[in-house]
Structures are given as C-alpha cells and as structure tokens.
Amino acid sequence: MKWPNERLVKTRVVSGFIFLRLICPALLNPRQFSLISDPPSLQGARSLVMIAKCLQNLANLVEFGSKEQHMEVVNPFILKNKERMIMFLDTLSTVNGKPEGEGLGSRGDIARDLGTLHHICVTHLRELQIRAKSSPTIKKLVTVTEMLTKHKQKYTEMIR
C-alpha cells in the first residue's frame, strides 16, 4: 500500500468516487440525471452549486480556506459533521464477508451475470419499489437499478 499509515485513504477514495462522480454532478445537473423535468431557476442553480461545494468539501474532509473566504461560514458545519461523513464513507466501503460464488479462477462471465441480474430487477421493478419501503437493502437495489437504467437509456440514445 502506498500510504500504509494513512487511515483515511480508503475513505477519501470512496468519497472521491461517490461525491465527485455521482452526487455532486447530480446536484449541479439535476435535469441531466432525470431528477427534475425543467432546469432550475438561476437562483436555484446557484443554491445547488453552493450545496455541491459544501458537500464536496465535507466529503473531502477539508474546510474552506482563504481561496473562498465567503464560504468559511460553512466550516463549523464541516467540522461538526466530519466524523459522521467518515463513518458513512467507511460503511459504504466495508464489505462484510466474501461474496459467494465460484471463487477465483472461475470461468463465469460476470458481465453477463450482472446484465442478467439487471434485467431481472427491471422486470420486477414495481414489486421491488413496493418492498423498498420496508427494506433498506431492497431500496439500494432499486436505486442502483434505476440509475443503471437511466445510464443505459442515455448510452443507447448517444450511439444512435
């Protein structure tokens, strides 16, 4: 490991992926992520930019500095929630146990298996959405299924 004594490496890698590549882009472009149908107002878009900046700094576990003095007012919020963010990101990045399967060296086609799983989830999405109301795990599955479906639609439109 390149940074064996740095306890937050895993946390920062996960936060970089989740917030920099997924959550903040969705905040900055909610229409592109099919979160809203019309573009936000100028004031709404500006508010979303500020929220994304705050969340990104919290996810990066850094306070605002002299480069953005007008944002330093958010630093108490970041300091207060830094440990909660670390716990959240560590939970996201922790795998409990080994996945069951054929093990290393198997000749299975993981891409095909994941595609099949996605197809099954899409086929039963309405039922999964109902069950998601009472199961956090099913809710995560529904969220991933919906996200992948949107990406698939965008990709399909792009290659036409």
Side-chain angles (χ1 to χ4, degrees), residues 9-130:
V9 168
K10 178 175 73 168
T11 305
R12 289 198 165 122
V13 168
V14 172
S15 77
F17 177 76
I18 297 294
F19 284 88
L20 187 63
R21 301 285 181 232
L22 184 64
I23 294 174
C24 288
L27 283 171
L28 296 172
N29 301 297
R31 189 170 175 207
Q32 203 172 27
F33 281 76
S34 301
L35 297 173
I36 58 175
S37 55
D38 295 323
S41 67
L42 290 176
Q43 185 177 0
R46 181 71 181 141
S47 294
L48 290 172
V49 167
M50 297 314 228
I51 292 168
K53 281 184 170 196
C54 294
L55 278 177
Q56 190 63 58
N57 272 39
L58 177 59
N60 290 340
L61 310 174
V62 296
E63 297 102 62
F64 288 97
S66 59
K67 275 174 75 175
E68 292 185 284
Q69 289 181 346
H70 64 284
M71 295 295 290
E72 287 180 350
V73 69
V74 181
N75 286 345
F77 172 80
I78 291 172
L79 290 169
K80 181 180 177 186
N81 290 288
K82 200 181 272 192
E83 194 59 39
R84 287 177 65 193
M85 179 60 80
I86 292 169
M87 289 172 26
F88 170 71
L89 293 167
D90 285 347
T91 300
L92 281 180
S93 64
T94 301
V95 177
N96 295 326
K98 272 171 103 172
E100 292 183 23
E102 299 170 31
L104 294 175
S106 68
R107 297 187 183 234
D109 184 350
I110 189 73
R112 186 193 68 219
D113 294 345
L114 289 171
T116 301
L117 178 60
H118 179 257
H119 178 75
I120 292 167
C121 290
V122 169
T123 302
H124 299 282
L125 189 57
R126 292 212 188 279
E127 182 182 344
L128 289 170
Q129 288 168 331
I130 292 167

